[in-house]
Amino acid sequence: KTQKENAPLIEKIATLLTSEPKLASELASEMGVSTQKASALVKKVEGVSVCDVKVKGKGTQKGYFFAE
């Protein structure tokens, strides 16, 4: 049941990602879900790469993007 509910969200994440890294918090705000949910779902999108992104005042966070 949960997989069926998450499928449209995973597709939405795939449309939001580009070659520029995006934080899970950015994806979450664009999709209207929690940062934790966005972080879990972005890992299920095929072809997503991960890198460390320095965020002023927050240290280093994971950035998600499609490698070209």
Side-chain angles (χ1 to χ4, degrees), residues 19-68:
S19 60
E20 292 294 316
K22 281 196 170 193
L23 303 174
S25 57
E26 294 171 328
L27 293 170
S29 66
E30 291 181 40
M31 294 174 37
V33 298
S34 69
T35 301
Q36 292 83 357
K37 185 165 186 106
S39 179
L41 292 176
V42 74
K43 294 173 186 169
K44 296 182 180 194
V45 178
E46 287 189 35
V48 171
S49 297
V50 181
C51 68
D52 288 333
V53 178
K54 291 185 179 181
V55 180
K56 188 174 182 177
K58 293 188 177 186
T60 303
Q61 296 184 354
K62 299 287 182 200
Y64 302 94
F65 64 100
F66 284 125
E68 293 183 359

